[in-house]
Amino acid sequence: MEQRGVRRVADSLPGVLSAPWSARTWRLVLHVLLGLPVGLLTCAVLLVLGGLTAGLAVTWVFALPLLAALFWCSHRLVALQRARFAALLGVELVLEKPAAPPAEGGWVRRVLAEARSSTTWRWLGYHALAGAGGVLGAALLLGLWAAGLAMATVHLGTTGLGRALPYTMGLHQVLLVVLTVAGIAVLQLSLSVARGVAQLDLALARQLLGPSQRDRANQLSERVVTLTEARAKVVEAADSERRRLERDLHDGVQQQLVSLSMNLGITRRKIKDMPEPAREALAQAHEQTKQTLSDLRQLVRGLHPAVLDDLGLDAALSGIAARSPVPARLRVDLRQRPSGTIEAAAYFVVSEALANVAKHSGASEVAVSVEQIEDPARGEIIKVTVTDNGCGGASEKAGSGLRGLVQRVGGVDGTLHIDSPVGGPTVITAELPCGS
């Protein structure tokens, strides 16, 4: 909202020059004119309460109530300025969050705590600058209007300036034209001045009333932490959903297909006197059922292998290495079992890499290494390396499988690197944080 308001003020100059009677232009003008009473009120509050507080500082008994009144007025003036910006410039100012007052100790401790807060003095600094600036800006605008109107209406002959002009016909007319044009230019200029004063006021408010650099950095850090935690929860929820689907398919549809395949097999063996067309149809149904069951098992393993939860990463990788069409050597060296999310990511890196080796590489052997190492920048990580002696040329741009791996590894704050020159060898390296 604030950024949109800033752009609205920043883009207002063309509107001021081309449409001086537009609502946007006069909202800017009204904002500047209201700076006069608001500035006078602010200056009066600061001079009276600030001066009395400073004068009675040696007698803290009297100074503290005045200081409390000054701080209270500061908050009310901030609310007034925010309302002025919102109503006339369309800007919702984001304020710096004041320090939380102490829970105990009464109003004296609250006043002292507020006096130690940098936010308090930044706000008071804004009031001092904006108060004086509001008065000066409004006075400048009114002065330009007065001068512009005097010059633009000099041809009416009602002003002292008009009566003082030489009455020589030619010179008199030229001067009237010049002054009239200059007056109109000054009036037009006053609208641009109003825009500049409003922009300066907005920049000052954002700098002193808004969050400081340290607070913005803290807010950004908190936002990063929140987004990181939210992403970890999403990844964990996705893995949990995959595990649930795997269990449902394994315990439901897969068992039903197993039972159907067994019944079809028993029927083929028991019934010998069926007509040949019926026997062929039964045999075909049996084979299709077994093929569907095999496809379903592959799908279930692709979702989330049950052995990964039951026996861990070493046993799960041993299974896919044993099933690999290309002879695979596996080495797993983990000092401790990582989280389920990291185990799943490592498993699917190896699974997809072995599938790509079998389909595309033409390799005669592949080596898989999974180890836990210490990274100087990230601490403990799981490093997964898959190396084959195939033809190379693998790239995440060439197919969806490797692109999916890059996204999956990135989802747990890991990195995936593919080194696959044409002619081979291909080395796929994934580094996964242990703590995700």
Side-chain angles (χ1 to χ4, degrees):
M1 174 67 76
E2 182 177 350
Q3 294 300 323
R4 290 198 299 270
V6 173
R7 288 195 294 271
R8 186 183 304 171
V9 175
D11 296 340
S12 61
L13 180 55
V16 167
L17 295 178
S18 62
W21 301 104
S22 68
R24 175 186 298 180
T25 300
W26 293 104
R27 281 199 300 269
L28 287 170
V29 170
L30 184 57
H31 175 86
V32 175
L33 292 179
L34 282 179
L36 179 60
V38 173
L40 291 174
L41 175 63
T42 300
C43 292
V45 169
L46 294 181
L47 288 175
V48 173
L49 293 178
L52 289 175
T53 302
L56 297 174
V58 292
T59 59
W60 63 269
V61 175
F62 299 103
L64 276 180
L66 292 171
L67 191 62
L70 178 63
F71 293 160
W72 183 88
C73 289
S74 174
H75 286 274
R76 303 290 81 76
L77 289 172
V78 167
L80 177 61
Q81 295 283 17
R82 287 192 73 196
R84 184 167 69 109
F85 279 108
L88 299 175
L89 300 186
V91 176
E92 292 291 341
L93 286 177
V94 178
L95 300 182
E96 182 175 5
K97 192 178 297 183
E104 299 178 354
W107 69 271
V108 173
R109 291 195 61 181
R110 287 196 294 273
V111 171
L112 293 177
E114 192 166 359
R116 290 191 295 267
S117 172
S118 62
T119 303
T120 301
W121 299 106
R122 290 176 70 231
W123 286 10
L124 288 173
Y126 168 76
H127 293 319
L129 294 174
V135 173
L136 292 176
L140 176 61
L141 181 60
L142 292 173
L144 288 173
W145 279 1
L149 286 173
M151 289 187 291
T153 59
V154 69
H155 64 282
L156 299 178
T158 57
T159 64
L161 181 61
R163 291 194 297 269
L165 289 174
Y167 192 69
T168 304
M169 181 61 69
L171 180 60
H172 186 271
Q173 290 178 339
V174 170
L175 289 176
L176 284 179
V177 172
V178 170
L179 287 174
T180 301
V181 172
I184 295 173
V186 169
L187 291 175
Q188 187 74 59
L189 176 65
S190 69
L191 302 181
S192 299
V193 169
R195 171 187 177 270
V197 172
Q199 278 189 307
L200 182 61
D201 195 10
L202 177 59
L204 189 65
R206 293 180 63 206
Q207 186 65 32
L208 295 179
L209 298 183
S212 62
Q213 291 287 353
R214 182 180 63 184
D215 288 337
R216 283 194 288 267
N218 292 337
Q219 291 174 5
L220 181 60
S221 299
E222 292 174 0
R223 182 63 174 163
V224 170
V225 171
T226 301
L227 291 176
T228 302
E229 292 175 350
R231 184 180 63 177
K233 291 178 181 178
V234 169
V235 172
E236 180 63 31
D239 283 335
S240 299
E241 184 64 15
R242 278 192 288 267
R243 285 193 291 268
R244 185 190 66 80
L245 288 173
E246 183 273 332
R247 288 193 301 268
D248 291 346
L249 290 174
H250 182 274
D251 298 338
V253 178
Q254 184 171 316
Q255 297 305 320
Q256 295 172 10
L257 284 175
V258 169
S259 177
L260 176 60
S261 179
M262 292 177 61
N263 289 334
L264 289 174
I266 292 172
T267 302
R268 289 180 63 187
R269 288 193 298 271
K270 284 187 174 181
I271 302 177
K272 304 294 185 180
D273 55 350
M274 283 192 302
E276 188 61 25
R279 186 181 297 277
E280 291 179 0
L282 183 60
Q284 186 177 6
H286 189 202
E287 293 302 321
Q288 289 179 348
T289 302
K290 290 193 291 184
Q291 182 61 44
T292 302
L293 181 59
S294 175
D295 294 342
L296 181 61
R297 284 171 176 162
Q298 291 294 330
L299 175 62
V300 168
R301 280 196 293 267
L303 285 173
H304 191 91
V307 67
L308 188 61
D309 289 334
D310 298 337
L311 300 178
L313 188 59
D314 194 352
L317 293 181
S318 298
I320 59 173
R323 294 190 300 271
S324 173
V326 179
R329 292 180 287 108
L330 174 67
R331 182 177 70 89
V332 178
D333 182 15
L334 298 177
R335 293 188 292 274
Q336 60 186 16
R337 185 169 180 178
S339 65
T341 302
I342 297 302
E343 279 191 334
Y347 173 86
F348 285 109
V349 167
V350 176
S351 177
E352 182 63 31
L354 291 180
N356 284 341
V357 169
K359 292 177 183 178
H360 309 296
S361 71
S364 60
E365 62 177 359
V366 58
V368 179
S369 171
V370 180
E371 56 184 338
Q372 185 173 344
I373 63 174
E374 180 74 23
D375 184 86
R378 293 182 290 174
E380 293 283 336
I381 64 171
I382 305 296
K383 184 177 181 180
V384 180
T385 307
V386 181
T387 307
D388 70 70
N389 61 351
C391 61
S395 171
E396 67 269 20
K397 299 178 181 179
S400 60
L402 291 178
R403 279 202 304 270
L405 282 186
V406 172
Q407 294 171 356
R408 186 177 186 111
V409 170
V412 294
D413 278 338
T415 59
L416 185 75
H417 179 68
I418 302 171
D419 183 14
S420 183
V422 176
T426 296
V427 181
I428 298 177
T429 306
E431 295 182 350
L432 308 169
C434 288
S436 294

